[in-house]
């Protein structure tokens, strides 16, 4: 929303971003740097772009998605460097329900031509049942609100649709046996989780292998890893820990992680035996 009267443009007129994206924060930092370089206060800059100082502050902090008028007037006010116009092309809104460090990988998942996942902590998100996912989110610290919990579940469900909506994309999962033995809820909920995994790993483009307890030490003991390849042949990896995640694009590092994954694939149970193990675990409940 714009107006010729800067003071009349109240910050409340713009919808606050519920979950600011990295690109919004970066764009805001660029605006602030250019404004300060031009020697302008937020009030002065606001008059030039015809927005209130509160709106300028919100854009600079990544709380607001700037419209075209803000970008164009901001360019003029800061010397027409082209920085705002060019960086505005890459602006994306935040994605509620996704951790900030996971968003880049989530976007990469959507365009990948192959995806590989090794997990040793919990059932991979793409294979989780709703009850299992809810139990995982309910156990997080700090405790999330009911609204946040529902947003997390909605995003997880949306991501899981990839398994069916992209039937020509191979999805490979290697999971430690103890992950499926870890109890949560009651026996009925455990059976529901195993049934869900069996159903979602049944399509021809999905491969699930389990590393048995007696498998011993192996090549991926450094932790969970995900691997993706794009249509252009580029490969990426993603590793996650406590309150952080890292997208890896370095060719040598990704190649090393791919070698570890391929080695573990040869050490894990084949898909048929893996399904047999899950069915036996279900029968034991």
């Amino acid at each position: 929303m714009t107006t010729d009267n800067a003071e009349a443009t109240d910050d409340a007129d713009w919808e606050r971003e519920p979950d600011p994206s990295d690109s919004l924060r970066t764009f805001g930092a660029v605006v602030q740097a250019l404004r300060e370089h031009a020697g302008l206060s937020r009030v002065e800059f606001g008059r030039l772009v015809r927005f209130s100082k509160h709106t300028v502050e919100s854009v600079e902090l990544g709380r607001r998605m700037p419209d075209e008028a803000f970008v164009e007037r901001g360019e003029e006010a800061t010397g027409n460097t082209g920085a705002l116009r060019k960086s505005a092309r890459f602006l994306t809104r935040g994605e509620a329900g996704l951790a900030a460090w996971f968003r880049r990988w989530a976007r990469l998942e959507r365009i990948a031509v192959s995806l590989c996942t090794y997990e040793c902590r919990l059932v991979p998100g793409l294979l989780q049942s709703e009850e299992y996912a809810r139990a995982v989110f309910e156990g997080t610290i700090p405790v999330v609100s009911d609204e946040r919990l529902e947003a997390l579940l909605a995003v997880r469900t949306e991501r899981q649709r990839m398994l069916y909506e992209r039937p020509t994309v191979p999805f490979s999962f290697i999971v430690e046996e103890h992950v499926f033995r870890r109890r949560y809820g009651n026996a009925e909920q455990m059976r529901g989780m195993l049934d869900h995994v069996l159903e979602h790993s049944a399509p021809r483009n999905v491969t699930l292998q389990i590393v048995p307890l007696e498998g011993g030490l192996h090549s991926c003991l450094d932790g969970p890893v995900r691997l993706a390849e794009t249509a252009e042949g580029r490969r990426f990896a993603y590793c996650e820990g406590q309150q952080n995640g890292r997208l890896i694009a370095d060719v040598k590092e990704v190649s090393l992680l791919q070698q570890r994954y391929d080695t573990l694939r040869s050490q894990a149970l084949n898909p048929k035996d893996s399904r047999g193990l899950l069915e036996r675990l279900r029968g034991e409940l």
Side-chain angles (χ1 to χ4, degrees):
M1 176 176 178
T2 62
T3 177
D4 290 337
N5 183 350
E7 295 305 313
T9 305
D10 190 85
D11 194 48
D13 289 338
W14 278 24
E15 181 183 357
R16 182 186 180 92
E17 293 295 315
D19 197 8
S21 67
D22 292 340
S23 65
L24 278 173
R25 293 189 180 96
T26 300
F27 179 84
V30 172
V31 172
Q32 182 176 355
L34 290 174
R35 173 181 62 77
E36 293 176 348
H37 183 73
L40 299 170
S41 68
R42 282 176 175 158
V43 172
E44 293 168 331
F45 183 77
R47 291 198 185 103
L48 292 174
V49 298
R50 305 177 198 171
F51 286 97
S52 73
K53 67 177 180 179
H54 305 293
T55 298
V56 173
E57 179 183 22
S58 292
V59 171
E60 290 185 350
L61 295 178
R63 297 173 179 167
R64 296 290 185 272
M65 174 71 76
D67 67 4
E68 185 177 348
F70 185 99
V71 175
E72 289 301 318
R73 293 169 187 163
E75 274 287 0
E76 295 173 4
T78 55
N80 285 308
T81 65
L84 296 186
R85 290 191 188 96
K86 291 179 180 178
S87 57
R89 299 172 190 168
F90 303 98
L91 283 172
T92 59
R93 295 187 182 277
E95 298 171 81
L98 288 179
W101 59 83
F102 188 75
R103 290 174 189 150
R104 291 177 65 195
W105 178 260
R107 290 193 289 270
L108 187 61
E109 277 185 330
R110 301 188 193 120
I111 62 171
V113 296
S114 71
L115 284 162
C116 299
T117 300
Y118 163 66
E119 185 56 76
C120 57
R121 304 165 305 176
L122 71 170
V123 176
L126 294 179
L127 297 178
Q128 290 179 5
S129 65
E130 181 177 345
E131 283 192 337
Y132 184 94
R134 184 179 294 275
V136 170
F137 293 138
E138 286 179 342
T140 59
I141 301 295
V143 177
V144 299
S145 66
D146 291 343
E147 293 78 10
R148 175 66 173 170
L149 177 61
E150 294 306 318
L152 291 167
L153 288 170
V155 170
R156 179 133 306 172
T157 301
E158 177 65 24
R159 284 183 60 230
Q160 289 179 346
R161 290 172 55 187
M162 287 192 298
L163 297 176
Y164 295 94
E165 292 180 344
R166 308 187 68 197
T168 61
V169 174
F171 292 83
S172 171
F173 298 93
I174 302 178
V175 186
E176 299 281 352
E177 178 181 344
H178 68 255
V179 166
F180 297 111
R181 289 185 176 275
R182 187 185 299 277
R183 291 300 184 102
Y184 91 99
N186 54 37
E188 182 179 354
Q189 289 173 309
M190 285 290 294
R191 283 192 291 268
M193 179 269 288
L194 293 172
D195 286 340
H196 187 88
V197 172
L198 286 165
E199 178 185 352
H200 280 64
S201 61
R204 291 188 298 112
N205 63 314
V206 182
T207 301
L208 172 64
Q209 293 180 256
I210 296 177
V211 182
L213 292 175
E214 64 271 18
L217 304 181
H218 56 72
S219 59
C220 286
L221 292 177
D222 284 348
V225 63
R226 306 177 197 212
L227 299 155
E229 183 177 358
T230 69
E232 296 77 27
R234 294 193 63 191
R235 292 186 175 185
F236 297 87
Y238 176 78
C239 296
E240 189 173 80
Q242 295 280 347
Q243 290 297 105
N244 65 79
R246 186 165 71 101
L247 180 63
I248 304 167
D250 180 77
V251 175
K252 291 184 178 179
E253 191 171 356
V254 174
S255 177
L256 174 62
L257 293 173
Q258 185 70 59
Q259 290 176 46
R260 292 178 180 177
Y261 188 89
D262 290 342
T263 300
L264 182 58
R265 180 181 278 163
S266 68
Q267 297 169 326
L269 297 176
N270 63 46
K272 181 179 179 180
D273 290 342
S274 295
R275 291 185 67 81
L277 175 56
L278 289 184
E279 289 166 353
R280 289 197 300 275
L281 291 178
R282 188 189 186 289
E284 294 172 4
L285 294 171

